[in-house]
Amino acid sequence: MFKKVMVHARRGVKLIILFMIAIFLVIGTVAFLYKPTYSVFINGEQVGYTENKSELQHRINEYVDHGDGTNENVAFVQVNELPEYKLCLLKRNIVTNDEEIFNKVTEQGIPYYRYYAILENQEEKYYVSSFEEAENVINTLKDKNSENIDKISILEKYETGIKDMVSVDEVVSKLYVEKKTNVKVAKGTSSKASGYVNTKTTTSSGKASLGISLIRPISGTITSRFGVRSSIRSSAHTGLDISAPTGTAIKAAASGTVSFAGWKGSYGYMIVVSHGNGVQTYYAHCSKLYASVGQSVSQGETIAAVGSTGNSTGPHLHLEIRVNGVAYNPQNYLY
């Protein structure tokens, strides 16, 4: 009986060895004749094969993000149909075609160009390639004290067609208007500063209790938030910038007494309203001031007009909320 068991066991081992040998032969034959690869489809249609899916897709992603590198103004490329990949075994004598697949993807791409429009009275006048150039235009016109500086602004644009770009010097020469008179302020106010204002860059990320309710001085788009840093300012932003057309009425966020009115360096024309208990609201870069120091104003009363005076790249209101001289984030209370 024992001998029979041993005979059957030896036969079983032989069969297992033969089965494993057969498997190795099959695997070896397949590996010799075929190679693992990816079949590539675009919009459901097979367009070829690639051995390195990651490398091909990375190249396509670079094209979508930056274009083909021939134009630095390309912001991105819109591609409606990206390739899909399916793993398969391909005969070794069949050649992959990554370059052809890449060309099929890129031939349907629509490039979008980024450029910057220089606006006068919200009308597009000239175009430059970079934000730095656009800032140079604004700053140069400001340094030259151009009459129309309050009407000049910058707009970032993305379009499928590229505009004719103009140099900074040419834009400045075409937009510059010699200033004939001093900036006008409303009747009853003076272009000279009066009163005292604290403009130290002391800020707090907390939320102080004001003891009063505030309303929005203007409606508009927030273009620069509290605490951010920028190339146009030397320290963290002490307020909130809200864009609006030049001349837009600025209303007092709460009732109080005007404690400063006039020119204040990089703030341009500014008006400050004191609301008691050390609480003040600042309204800067104004084109006109409608209230003077010592004047009592009611909540919602028009006290100034939006402009772009001082250190500004376009018409907007710079709003600050300060408590005992410390600037707090206006978005903790408004907007």
Side-chain angles (χ1 to χ4, degrees):
M1 182 68 180
F2 177 74
K3 289 183 178 180
K4 288 183 179 181
V5 172
M6 291 300 294
V7 170
H8 286 300
R10 283 197 294 269
R11 287 177 181 175
V13 170
K14 288 180 180 179
L15 287 174
I16 291 172
I17 293 172
L18 289 173
F19 180 72
M20 293 178 66
I21 291 172
I23 289 176
F24 282 123
L25 287 173
V26 170
I27 293 174
T29 302
V30 171
F32 179 76
L33 296 176
Y34 296 89
K35 56 185 176 181
T37 187
Y38 292 91
S39 182
V40 185
F41 297 82
I42 296 178
N43 198 22
E45 177 186 354
Q46 185 178 3
V47 294
Y49 301 94
T50 179
E51 290 185 46
N52 194 327
K53 178 184 74 171
S54 298
E55 184 177 307
L56 176 59
Q57 189 59 49
H58 176 74
R59 186 180 175 192
I60 291 171
N61 291 343
E62 284 292 308
Y63 169 76
V64 170
D65 291 340
H66 308 292
D68 58 11
T70 59
N71 192 314
E72 63 180 10
N73 288 106
V74 173
F76 63 90
V77 179
Q78 179 180 311
V79 176
N80 293 327
E81 296 294 339
L82 290 173
E84 297 179 354
Y85 305 90
K86 294 183 180 178
L87 184 63
C88 64
L89 291 174
L90 187 67
K91 287 185 176 181
R92 289 190 174 275
N93 61 348
I94 297 179
V95 180
T96 55
N97 58 331
D98 293 52
E99 192 66 29
E100 183 180 345
I101 295 170
F102 179 77
N103 290 336
K104 283 185 178 294
V105 173
T106 58
E107 70 185 10
Q108 58 166 316
I110 302 174
Y112 278 76
Y113 300 93
R114 179 197 296 111
Y115 59 92
Y116 296 85
I118 308 298
L119 285 66
E120 183 177 21
N121 282 328
Q122 305 301 314
E123 179 185 353
E124 294 178 20
K125 292 291 188 178
Y126 305 101
Y127 306 96
V128 294
S129 298
S130 67
F131 182 70
E132 289 72 21
E133 289 180 305
E135 272 192 321
N136 285 339
V137 169
I138 298 291
N139 291 334
T140 303
L141 288 172
K142 192 172 295 181
D143 291 342
K144 292 168 69 70
N145 205 21
S146 181
E147 177 74 28
N148 60 346
I149 186 60
D150 290 349
K151 303 174 183 177
I152 306 298
S153 57
I154 302 169
L155 179 64
E156 185 177 54
K157 303 205 69 177
Y158 295 84
E159 291 186 359
T160 55
I162 191 70
K163 301 287 188 179
D164 291 331
M165 300 298 164
V166 183
S167 69
V168 171
D169 290 341
E170 187 174 351
V171 176
V172 170
S173 66
K174 290 183 176 180
L175 288 179
Y176 174 71
V177 177
E178 184 177 358
K179 200 159 192 165
K180 298 178 181 178
T181 59
N182 293 328
V183 175
K184 294 180 179 179
V185 293
K187 184 177 180 181
T189 66
S190 171
S191 60
K192 294 182 180 180
S194 57
Y196 171 77
V197 61
N198 178 3
T199 56
K200 292 182 180 179
T201 56
T202 307
T203 62
S204 172
S205 59
K207 182 179 181 181
S209 175
L210 304 183
I212 56 173
S213 62
L214 304 177
I215 64 170
R216 295 182 177 185
I218 64 169
S219 297
T221 302
I222 295 173
T223 55
S224 183
R225 299 184 186 276
F226 178 84
V228 301
R229 294 182 178 273
S230 169
S231 60
I232 65 170
R233 62 177 69 93
S234 59
S235 59
H237 199 205
T238 52
L240 189 69
D241 289 350
I242 307 103
S243 69
T246 297
T248 300
I250 299 172
K251 299 178 180 180
S255 59
T257 303
V258 177
S259 55
F260 178 88
W263 183 267
K264 189 62 178 177
S266 62
Y267 283 84
Y269 284 96
M270 179 168 69
I271 193 164
V272 176
V273 179
S274 296
H275 308 284
N277 296 320
V279 180
Q280 294 178 309
T281 49
Y282 293 32
Y283 312 83
H285 304 310
C286 304
S287 60
K288 293 184 179 181
L289 307 178
Y290 296 121
S292 55
V293 171
Q295 180 178 335
S296 295
V297 294
S298 303
Q299 186 177 58
E301 181 179 342
T302 298
I303 56 175
V306 170
S308 186
T309 56
N311 191 8
S312 167
T313 58
H316 71 281
L317 167 65
H318 172 85
L319 173 67
E320 289 188 18
I321 297 176
R322 294 197 181 223
V323 180
N324 296 322
V326 178
Y328 289 84
N329 186 354
Q331 285 195 278
N332 287 335
Y333 312 96
L334 293 168
Y335 298 96

